[in-house]
Amino acid sequence: LSANNGANTFITQLIVDSIVSSDEVVVQSLDINTGLSLGTFTILNTNPGVSISASPGVADGNNTTSGNSQALTFSNVFVNPSSGPLVFTTTIDSELGDQDVQTFSFTITCLSVDCNGDVNGSAVIDNCGNCVGGNTGAVACIAFTPSVSVVLSNTDCDSLSDLTITVSQDANEPDMGVALFASNTGSFDIASMSVGDVIGTADLSANNGGNTFITQLIVDSIVSSDEVVVQSLDINTGLPLGTFTILNTNPGVSISASPGVADGNNTTSGNSQALTFSNV
């Protein structure tokens, strides 16, 4: 505040003095040096809009000013409305009954924030529920269309055969969860199996070929005469990379694969698996 044409200056803080209601607050302007009140304001939510009314200043025994200025800043408390025009109106009455009305117009714009938190960014949610594009570095997922092939080493009746199943996916397809393979006839030669037997191999490729593994299919447990649990063990580390349950369904067979190790996302960077159950 500046009065007497700049001869007197004051710096004040606007302090909440009382909260009248959820829409009305009384504010005191307190001199930071003396703590004395130099004015009172009532701020009000008028729904829509706001109002700020100032109490009359201290009487100075005359009806003209020697020059004054006041700059009030309400810090970080005014909530901008939705997109559109915003008009402030000032109405000031003089001690002699004069009235001055001025208006100040602003245009409020709503900033577009994408799913990555970037203002005016172009990232979007894809069909897999992931935030992709823009600054994410991620590519939108594509349709879930795994490629599957099945090969029998021979088709002679009543004979043992190798059974090879190959499954692959392009990058950015949804991750596979559980998988089931089944036939309408035929059976596994479970009677000839023992725990620890190697009954096949599996070649695995992940991360679009960036990681490859060669495993052996080992009989882990024989649940019954019709059911066997098989572990896929890495031939270099001995670590299990997956579990399969093979089952004689009489007629036919089924092979169910347990879900792979969780990788924290729901899309693949490209993978392939070729499993061969040898001579069983």
Side-chain angles (χ1 to χ4, degrees), residues 65-155:
T65 180
S66 54
N68 70 83
S69 68
Q70 299 127 64
L72 292 81
T73 299
F74 292 87
S75 301
N76 210 35
V77 292
F78 179 73
V79 181
N80 283 345
S82 300
S83 178
L86 168 64
V87 179
F88 290 105
T89 302
T90 63
T91 304
I92 303 174
D93 295 326
S94 78
E95 292 179 352
L96 297 178
D98 306 293
Q99 187 174 76
D100 177 85
V101 177
Q102 299 183 40
T103 59
F104 305 85
S105 298
F106 299 84
T107 299
I108 302 300
T109 57
C110 291
L111 298 177
S112 173
V113 179
D114 68 10
C115 58
N116 196 46
D118 297 321
V119 174
N120 294 326
S122 58
V124 296
I125 301 296
D126 69 4
N127 292 331
C128 295
N130 302 319
C131 186
V132 299
N135 292 324
T136 66
V139 178
C141 70
I142 60 178
F144 182 61
T145 53
S147 175
V148 181
S149 69
V150 180
V151 175
L152 279 176
S153 62
N154 76 70
T155 55

Side-chain angles (χ1 to χ4, degrees), residues 182-200:
S183 72
N184 65 333
T185 59
S187 63
F188 285 115
D189 184 18
I190 292 177
S192 67
M193 297 181 188
S194 300
V195 171
D197 283 352
V198 177
I199 62 171

Side-chain angles (χ1 to χ4, degrees), residues 163 165-167 176-181 188 190 193 199-204 215-223 226-234 240-247 254-260 272-277:
L163 173 63
I165 307 164
T166 303
V167 181
M176 289 186 293
V178 296
L180 176 67
F181 174 87
F188 285 115
I190 292 177
M193 297 181 188
I199 62 171
T201 60
D203 296 335
L204 311 176
T215 75
Q216 290 181 317
L217 302 181
I218 310 290
V219 174
D220 185 68
S221 63
I222 299 175
V223 180
D226 284 319
E227 184 175 354
V228 168
V229 176
V230 177
Q231 286 271 17
S232 177
L233 301 182
D234 189 296
L241 297 183
T243 301
F244 303 91
T245 298
I246 63 175
L247 185 69
S254 75
I255 305 170
S256 58
S258 62
S272 66
Q273 298 126 68
L275 292 80
T276 298
F277 293 88

